[in-house]
Amino acid sequence: MIKRYAIRLTPLMLLSLAWPVAAQKVDEDLPDESYAAEIYAVEAENVDPADYATLAREGEGDVWSCASCHGAKGQGNGNIPRLAGLSTGYIAKQLHAYAEGVRINHNMQYVADKLTDDEMLGLARYYAEMEAPSNAGPELGGDLARGQELMIHGDWDINVPACYSCHGSSAWGVEQAFPSLAAQQPAYTYAQLAAWTDGRRNNSPLQLMQGISHALSDADRRAVADYLATLPAPPAEEPTQ
């Protein structure tokens, strides 16, 4: 198993970066956003991802197959994200966010709303434990040198920390809450940075991503998205024993 590390930012640093936005709309029955991913990862230990492989590959009833959009190997394409190698807790957290309307995407809301809690956990583990090579590459005309600079060092002139400080030195994610960014489809990464900026996405603890995305220029977003697409794909999450 390849461990994932990151330099920890202090709470004061995180709060100083947060951009003032409306309070998150989170269902009271769901775990608090700041630790939801960890909770879902623990709950997922009780399900067998093999039981949900058919659901992922073929769908069931009104539930579309995940593979019909994300690909048989979970690599994504265009504005559809890579799922292979993302952490179990992060995937499960996003599925719940779609189902509750906390995160907006009409296709994903349609699917997630029809999934049971166990199906969300099973699908999350299925993709977390999937290893697949990258099929992503730069396509937005971003400045790769600038993207690398932002990833490694950030830009404190605009109050942006290094992406690696939270997402790990290989951009393979850290623990459950900070997702892998490496080998992600650049169009998807760019679209999410834009969504954080204009408020269409706001399910981030401490509103950290809103502040960072708002500080980046459009050219910076393209640079980061394209640079991430050049990185090796993350390893599969080790199966729970």
Side-chain angles (χ1 to χ4, degrees):
M1 177 180 180
I2 300 177
K3 295 186 179 294
R4 307 174 184 191
Y5 299 96
I7 299 170
R8 300 292 186 183
L9 296 177
T10 67
L12 181 59
M13 291 172 67
L14 292 173
L15 288 171
S16 71
L17 293 167
W19 188 260
V21 295
Q24 298 177 56
K25 176 187 175 184
V26 179
D27 190 303
E28 293 181 357
D29 293 331
L30 294 178
D32 183 271
E33 286 286 290
S34 60
Y35 56 87
E38 286 77 9
I39 291 176
Y40 290 133
V42 172
E43 292 178 347
E45 294 176 5
N46 298 316
V47 302
D48 185 347
D51 292 341
Y52 303 92
T54 299
L55 178 62
R57 293 194 298 257
E58 302 175 16
E60 183 177 305
D62 291 335
V63 179
W64 307 330
S65 72
C66 307
S68 64
C69 290
H70 296 276
K73 296 182 179 179
Q75 298 160 304
N77 186 51
N79 197 27
I80 298 172
R82 176 188 181 90
L83 300 180
L86 291 177
S87 68
T88 294
Y90 178 79
I91 296 174
K93 177 177 180 287
Q94 301 311 308
L95 287 172
H96 278 281
Y98 284 125
E100 293 294 324
V102 177
R103 183 172 174 185
I104 306 301
N105 177 285
H106 296 304
N107 288 336
M108 283 305 305
Q109 285 175 280
Y110 175 83
V111 172
D113 186 58
K114 301 178 187 306
L115 296 173
T116 66
D117 288 348
D118 280 354
E119 286 172 338
M120 291 185 191
L121 296 174
L123 289 171
R125 276 195 62 185
Y126 176 80
Y127 281 105
E129 296 174 12
M130 178 180 287
E131 190 154 4
S134 175
N135 67 345
E139 58 183 38
L140 304 177
D143 182 338
L144 297 183
R146 172 63 173 169
Q148 183 180 45
E149 179 71 14
L150 288 167
M151 290 297 302
I152 297 174
H153 302 294
D155 186 343
W156 289 107
D157 288 339
I158 57 174
N159 211 27
V160 170
C163 306
Y164 285 161
S165 65
C166 287
H167 294 275
S169 59
S170 298
W172 285 347
V174 174
E175 302 300 336
Q176 295 293 325
F178 291 95
S180 170
L181 304 177
Q184 188 56 269
Q185 299 296 329
Y188 173 78
T189 302
Y190 174 81
Q192 294 310 298
L193 288 171
W196 289 119
T197 302
D198 63 22
R200 286 177 292 120
R201 183 174 177 184
N202 68 349
N203 64 324
S204 168
L206 300 180
Q207 309 297 312
L208 178 60
M209 281 307 304
Q210 285 88 327
I212 291 173
S213 299
H214 198 280
L216 296 174
S217 67
D218 184 73
D220 283 343
R221 295 183 203 118
R222 294 176 184 275
V224 167
D226 269 352
Y227 178 72
L228 287 169
T230 70
L231 300 179
E237 190 172 83
E238 185 175 6
T240 301
Q241 299 299 319

